[in-house]
Structures are given as structure tokens and as C-alpha cells.
Amino acid sequence: MAARIEEMISEEAIDARIRELGRQITEDYKGKDLHLVCVLRGAVFFMCELAKRIELPVTFDFMSVSSYGSGTTSSGIVRIIKDLQDPLTGKDVIIIEDIIDSGRTLSFLYELFRTRGAASVRTCTLLDKPSRRDPGIHLQVDYKGFEVEDKFVIGWGMDYDQRYRNLPFIGVVTETDSQE
Ligand code: IMP
Ligand code: MG
């Protein structure tokens, strides 16, 4: 597939914002056992960079869920593809996401983790598209990198049909080749 990509948020701006989030989380979780749960695959880059900016002995785990097919719209049903390795009992958890769109994925995980005995659960996302939120979803976003308008974004872990995750900036696909 050939696509035209425009930069929306630069690598420098993302790095700077992640440092701020790291400082804030470090303050908020002093003296606690902070456990980060990365939502695969999109949040991998964000979690790695954020974790390096948190000055606490954090632990990690990974979960994979799916609410999207290969296109750019949500199917609405969240399925667990890969579950956590370690129990959440007694842990202070932050769920790390790449982007919140309808909010279904994160609200599904939030509710699930609450039932698994975590001491606390908070949410952290690199990007949020609040205009896209499903009206039935009431989700508290505790830490947020940037709010973006309703455009399909790629890079920094986010994909279009599994491609472009490795772009070091956040971009928007402006044109795609229909000969795909
Ligand atoms: P939600 O469940 O509708 O909030 O969708 C969240 C998930 O959809 C994210 O974890 C992303 O994987 C994916 N997603 C939503 N919007 C975008 C986008 O603009 N680009 C890439 N992936 C997206
Ligand atoms: Mg995702």
C-alpha cells in the first residue's frame, strides 16, 4: 500500500510530553508498588518511553485485546487475545494505551481489572479523541498525552492495517492508493 503521510505531532513534542507525564506519575505513586499494564500492540513504544521517565521501581505486564478488524472502525466487541501473566491482587495498576477512540477497549479493561483485586486502577493514554467517545461509555482518563481531532493517526505504535507502527512521529494518512 502506498500512502501519503502528514506529520501531526513531532517526536520532540511527544518526548517532552512523556517526560511531564513521567514526572507526574512519579509524584503520584511515591511509596507504592506501581504496576504498568501495556495494551498490545499499539502502546508498546509509549509504555517503554514512559516507564523510563518514571523514577520508581515499576513492574510491567502485557495484555492484548481486539476490538478492531483490519480497517479503521471498531467492531464494538472487545475480545481477550492474550491475558496478563501475573495476578493484579493488591497492585496499583496503570493501564497504558496508545489512543482512546470510542473508549470501549479501555473501559472493558478498567472494569475487568477492578474485578481482579487490584488495589487501584488508573488509565493513561498517549492520545485521546474525545469527540469519538461512545455516549454509553463513562471513562475517567487519568493521564493523557494529547487530545487530537477525529482523524485516523499512525506512528508511535499505532497502525494502519499493521503498518506504520514504527514511525517516530505521529502522522495522519491523507491519501491511500486504492490498488492496495
Ligand atoms: P476504542 O476501543 O474505540 O477506544 O479503540 C481503541 C483502540 O483502537 C486503540 O487501542 C487503537 O488500537 C485503535 N485505534 C483507535 N483509533 C485509532 C487511530 O486513529 N489510529 C490507530 N489505531 C486506532
Ligand atoms: Mg490499541
Side-chain angles (χ1 to χ4, degrees), residues 40-52:
L40 294 172
R41 290 171 254 187
V44 162
F45 290 83
F46 178 44
M47 178 162 103
C48 293
E49 293 305 309
L50 178 64
K52 286 192 277 179

Side-chain angles (χ1 to χ4, degrees), residues 39-43 65 97-99 105 158 165:
V39 186
L40 294 172
R41 290 171 254 187
V65 292
E97 249 293 33
D98 50 359
I99 182 164
T105 306
M158 290 170 286
R165 290 191 194 273

Side-chain angles (χ1 to χ4, degrees), residues 21-77:
L21 289 173
R23 272 197 292 273
Q24 196 185 336
I25 292 171
T26 303
E27 274 304 306
D28 294 351
Y29 284 84
K30 277 212 173 95
K32 295 194 170 166
D33 279 334
L34 176 57
H35 188 63
L36 303 177
V37 173
C38 173
V39 186
L40 294 172
R41 290 171 254 187
V44 162
F45 290 83
F46 178 44
M47 178 162 103
C48 293
E49 293 305 309
L50 178 64
K52 286 192 277 179
R53 306 298 169 213
I54 298 174
E55 295 176 24
L56 297 170
V58 301
T59 52
F60 301 158
D61 207 342
F62 298 87
M63 176 117 183
S64 180
V65 292
S66 154
S67 63
Y68 276 66
S70 61
T72 59
T73 51
S74 171
S75 69
I77 302 152

Side-chain angles (χ1 to χ4, degrees), residues 67-68 74 97-106 129 151-154 158-159:
S67 63
Y68 276 66
S74 171
E97 249 293 33
D98 50 359
I99 182 164
I100 307 173
D101 186 80
S102 71
R104 290 189 202 107
T105 306
L106 205 49
K129 284 194 229 177
K151 287 187 174 164
F152 197 80
V153 294
I154 51 170
M158 290 170 286
D159 71 305

